[in-house]
Amino acid sequence: MAGPLQGVTVIELAGIGPGPFAGMMLADMGARVIRIDRIPSPGGGSALEGLMRNDSIVDRGRESIAVNMKDPRGIEMVLALVERADILIEGFRPGVTEKLGLGPDDCHARNPRLVYGRMTGWGQTGPLANAAGHDLNYIALSGALHAMGPQDRPPAPPLNLVGDYGGGGMLLALGVVAALLEARTSGQGQLVDAAMTDGAAVLMAAQYGLMAKGHWGDARESNFLDGSAHFYGNYECADGRFVSIGSIEPQFYRQLLEKCEISDPHFLQQWERGEWPALKAKLAALLRTRSRDAWCALLEGSDVCFAPVLAMSEAPQHPHNRARGTFVAPGGVVQPAPAPRFGRTPSELPPPAPVIGRDSVALLRSLGLSDGDIAALRDAGAVYGPGGAA
């Protein structure tokens, strides 16, 4: 593997949502990520388990060892791997890994330099710490969800981007890399408590800053970045497709008026909030007069701050994305390429996700276990490999 994290070893206790996304980010940047998988149930697991596990993209770039987490021998195998690792990430509710014998104290006893990253929705402390939840709940508590969507409808869920990924997995990945940098100076690991409620709140820093200055209100669709302003929003075209306009700065706004041949003097009052509803209706009517492609021909690449609203099936084919290699399709599976990009230590696309337990034998051998030891662990149900054998 190439990338700036080459030489870093990460233990990932398999889960769903932000933990695997953090693991993907670390693997994309060159880290060796060893995922500790549960031994599959004979029936193949629940439908939800199959839905949430993305075998080719979010779980790419891992090695996989499958162990019985209820068997002390399986836990011992994990701890033996921890001894050689730099980072461990887990996404269980508070206290679960302690009950398994894989809590921070257990791991630091074996490896004092280990960075132990914990990913939860509510955090390790607080009155909600042990409650169940999902992305939508966590961003609701941060103030982020309330700000999204039209004012005459309930807040619009922003997929699972703000909690799970932006405020969760990204926060965890940054946190463990920062702690690893410190550990290489101090020689001591530490606990990283990454909570999606915290992360979603951090993502709202600019909005809280604007509110403190009196430039942002709590009412949904009443602020310049939430769809209220005519110069910042999405508009339907004649063909039923959409374009995005983001002409905030005055020089960009002037170019919008010039290129669209808008001469109505009311449009000169860009920041008069009382004019926004009427101006938005007028701009919407204008943009419905041409197809999306026609508006692209006129506005794309200019300083209007314009882009077509592309479907997921369209985005990989856009000339800009193609030129940059933003998407790749190994084995015919379209997926985002690793990001960000590094000039001296570029990342490479990691291989697809492994079959559960694919690397069990190799990893156990690397710990010094003989084939007889591995067979005994397999027969006892402590470990698992492809075909049911480690």
Side-chain angles (χ1 to χ4, degrees):
M1 292 293 296
L5 294 183
Q6 189 170 13
V8 173
T9 298
V10 180
I11 304 297
E12 176 190 350
L13 303 187
I16 62 174
F21 185 74
M24 185 196 82
M25 293 298 297
L26 298 171
D28 282 0
M29 294 183 194
R32 180 190 187 192
V33 181
I34 301 171
R35 190 179 62 214
I36 311 300
D37 278 308
R38 299 177 181 86
I39 294 178
S41 60
S46 68
L48 179 61
E49 183 180 351
L51 175 67
M52 296 300 292
R53 179 159 178 182
N54 190 328
D55 285 328
S56 61
I57 301 177
V58 175
D59 288 329
R60 67 193 183 194
R62 316 297 209 273
E63 297 171 51
S64 171
I65 178 173
V67 304
N68 182 349
M69 303 288 275
K70 296 180 180 179
D71 189 315
R73 291 164 293 189
I75 297 300
E76 176 56 33
M77 295 302 99
V78 178
L79 289 170
L81 291 169
V82 163
E83 289 181 3
R84 305 179 178 196
D86 301 290
I87 296 169
L88 179 146
I89 58 176
E90 60 96 353
F92 297 108
R93 293 197 207 189
V96 170
T97 57
E98 283 85 349
K99 292 179 181 177
L100 291 172
L102 292 173
D105 290 344
D106 302 300
C107 292
H108 284 141
R110 303 287 285 264
N111 181 356
R113 298 173 63 93
L114 182 76
V115 171
Y116 194 107
R118 313 194 87 164
M119 181 79 257
T120 57
W122 310 112
Q124 297 296 313
T125 59
L128 296 176
N130 289 297
H134 275 298
D135 177 291
L136 196 66
N137 311 124
Y138 311 136
I139 70 173
L141 206 69
S142 72
L145 181 60
H146 178 81
M148 300 175 187
Q151 59 183 333
D152 59 347
R153 278 172 276 171
L159 304 182
N160 64 332
L161 303 180
V162 177
D164 270 359
Y165 288 172
M170 288 284 194
L171 190 74
L172 177 62
L174 173 62
V176 296
V177 170
L180 178 61
L181 182 64
E182 192 280 335
R184 291 188 167 177
T185 301
S186 67
Q188 299 180 46
Q190 62 180 301
L191 179 66
V192 178
D193 175 3
M196 285 178 262
T197 49
D198 298 344
V202 167
L203 293 177
M204 290 290 288
Q207 283 69 37
Y208 277 105
L210 288 168
M211 179 174 281
K213 294 189 291 184
H215 298 311
W216 192 275
D218 261 339
R220 193 160 50 256
E221 202 179 17
S222 67
N223 303 283
F224 76 98
L225 291 179
D226 63 6
S228 178
H230 61 291
F231 53 82
Y232 196 86
N234 304 315
Y235 291 92
E236 186 175 10
C237 303
D239 54 5
R241 296 190 288 181
F242 296 85
V243 295
S244 64
I245 302 289
S247 309
I248 299 174
E249 293 83 355
Q251 67 273 27
F252 301 153
Y253 184 70
R254 285 195 299 270
Q255 191 165 140
L256 171 69
L257 301 186
E258 291 168 4
K259 284 189 167 291
C260 292
E261 299 180 352
I262 297 173
S263 58
D264 185 336
H266 289 92
F267 276 91
L268 298 178
Q269 303 179 68
Q270 179 185 0
W271 288 95
E272 290 294 329
R273 290 174 182 260
E275 296 285 339
W276 286 357
L279 295 178
K280 190 174 182 180
K282 290 179 180 180
L283 186 56
L286 173 63
L287 291 169
R288 280 196 296 268
T289 63
R290 304 186 192 183
S291 69
R292 189 184 73 181
D293 288 348
W295 288 117
C296 285
L298 178 66
L299 301 175
E300 196 166 18
S302 74
D303 281 351
V304 166
C305 301
F306 166 95
V309 178
L310 301 178
M312 288 173 60
S313 57
E314 297 177 296
Q317 304 307 318
H318 189 277
H320 183 78
N321 291 334
R322 290 173 66 90
R324 283 187 57 81
T326 301
F327 294 89
V328 292
V333 179
V334 176
Q335 57 194 278
R341 303 172 189 217
F342 300 92
R344 188 171 54 80
T345 58
S347 299
E348 295 177 353
L349 182 69
V355 174
I356 289 177
R358 182 196 66 189
D359 306 291
S360 294
V361 169
L363 288 167
L364 292 174
R365 284 175 177 162
S366 74
L367 297 175
L369 275 70
S370 68
D371 288 346
D373 294 332
I374 296 171
L377 289 169
R378 175 204 62 198
D379 293 342
V383 296
Y384 170 88

